[in-house]
Amino acid sequence: MNQNDINILEEKYNTDFNTALNIYENSYSHEYLINLLKSGTVAEKQAAAIKLETLNNFEEAKIFISNLTGCDGKIREAVSFRLPEFLEKNPQFFTDYTDIFLDAIIDINGNICRNTIKALEYLKNNTDFTNEFTNKLINKTLNIIEPIKSFDIQEGKYKINKEVFKLYWYLETITEFCQFIPSDKLFQILNETKNIQDYTIREKTAKILSKIDNIEKLLNIKEELKKDSNYYVRRI
């Protein structure tokens, strides 16, 4: 990177910083902040997501959550940070966005994954949502397991790490929604993930099993993992 490129980046950083600071320090109408979320710059959307106090209707919720995926990471993280708060207040505004949530829980930024899973807690009482969400979650998890089984985890290649990262967060989400997943599907998933080389996947498998009682075929997997070579797996 030459000096000219550095100067351009510094200028952009300063512009973005001043834009965000202006939004943070001044009082803007709710409508203005929603419009920034709809069509602002990266800095404007990021600041608007943090500054916004409420979402008043389905349309505003749609504008807000459309910035949870498919845009700059600064925007995605800001939106995910506020997501639990807005979902707690008005969960009914967010029941149609299973696909967005499923993308957000495997974001490259782990903070976005955590924030999204935390927010989903407030949709557990909606049966239609949990049915659709868990069915899609099951399918995505099963689809990614098969290719991972053939990976040599020790190679540490980017593609391997990326796919394992996704499976890790799918399993973390299953931990929170396991009560809504049929036992045969849980068995199908965990019977595979218990053998995956990456210990973090086996640890997540153990974490799910620690929340389940009295399902014999799952308890057999639990007993098997208690003999795992990794301490963090066998401590369940």
Side-chain angles (χ1 to χ4, degrees):
M1 182 179 294
N2 58 42
Q3 187 59 46
N4 185 56
D5 291 334
I6 292 173
N7 290 340
I8 291 172
L9 286 175
E10 286 182 348
E11 182 178 354
K12 183 180 185 305
Y13 173 82
N14 289 333
T15 299
D16 288 348
F17 177 81
N18 290 330
T19 297
L21 187 63
N22 175 60
I23 295 171
Y24 292 142
E25 291 188 338
N26 290 279
S27 296
Y28 289 101
S29 70
H30 177 81
E31 292 74 17
Y32 181 76
L33 294 174
I34 291 293
N35 283 332
L36 287 183
L37 270 178
K38 189 175 183 179
S39 56
T41 65
V42 169
E44 288 171 339
K45 287 188 173 188
Q46 180 189 21
I50 298 299
K51 185 78 171 179
L52 200 64
E53 293 184 359
T54 186
L55 296 172
N56 293 327
N57 52 54
F58 286 93
E59 182 59 31
E60 290 180 357
K62 181 178 180 180
I63 293 168
F64 178 81
I65 202 167
S66 69
N67 290 288
L68 183 61
T69 60
C71 57
D72 186 273
K74 298 183 186 70
I75 303 170
R76 302 197 314 273
E77 186 162 11
V79 169
S80 76
F81 177 72
R82 300 300 306 284
L83 188 64
E85 176 186 347
F86 291 142
L87 258 166
E88 182 179 16
K89 290 178 180 177
N90 292 292
Q92 73 278 8
F93 289 166
F94 296 93
T95 57
D96 292 335
Y97 302 110
T98 53
D99 291 331
I100 290 178
F101 289 131
L102 286 162
D103 284 342
I105 62 175
I106 55 168
D107 193 283
I108 194 171
N109 182 333
N111 290 330
I112 296 171
C113 305
R114 291 185 195 91
N115 292 338
T116 302
I117 294 170
K118 179 181 179 182
L120 286 167
E121 176 74 25
Y122 300 107
L123 286 172
K124 284 184 177 180
N125 290 330
N126 187 299
T127 303
D128 290 339
F129 175 84
T130 54
N131 285 341
E132 181 181 357
F133 180 77
T134 54
N135 284 336
K136 290 180 177 180
L137 176 62
I138 290 166
N139 291 333
K140 285 181 174 290
T141 304
L142 289 172
N143 287 339
I144 204 172
I145 285 173
E146 196 59 37
I148 287 177
K149 284 166 56 181
S150 66
F151 289 162
D152 182 354
I153 301 296
Q154 302 305 317
E155 289 185 10
K157 292 182 179 178
Y158 173 74
K159 180 181 179 182
I160 296 173
N161 291 337
K162 183 179 179 182
E163 297 306 292
V164 169
F165 180 87
K166 290 178 182 178
L167 180 56
Y168 176 96
W169 287 109
Y170 283 148
L171 292 175
E172 180 65 17
T173 309
I174 287 173
T175 302
E176 299 303 320
F177 280 82
C178 59
Q179 69 266 42
F180 304 107
I181 299 177
S183 60
D184 61 324
K185 291 297 182 181
L186 272 177
F187 177 79
Q188 187 179 359
I189 291 168
L190 302 182
N191 197 46
E192 297 286 0
T193 58
K194 70 181 175 63
N195 295 317
I196 288 176
Q197 292 180 45
D198 188 285
Y199 86 88
T200 65
I201 298 302
R202 301 198 308 279
E203 185 182 2
K204 287 299 173 189
T205 303
K207 183 178 179 181
I208 294 168
L209 289 165
S210 71
K211 300 184 70 171
I212 296 170
D213 294 316
N214 303 322
I215 302 178
E216 185 174 351
K217 58 185 178 181
L218 293 177
L219 293 177
N220 290 337
I221 298 175
K222 186 174 182 179
E223 290 302 313
E224 185 177 339
L225 288 178
K226 285 182 179 179
K227 303 172 185 177
D228 195 272
S229 59
N230 187 281
Y231 166 75
Y232 294 103
V233 177
R234 66 175 182 264
R235 66 179 177 176
I236 58 170

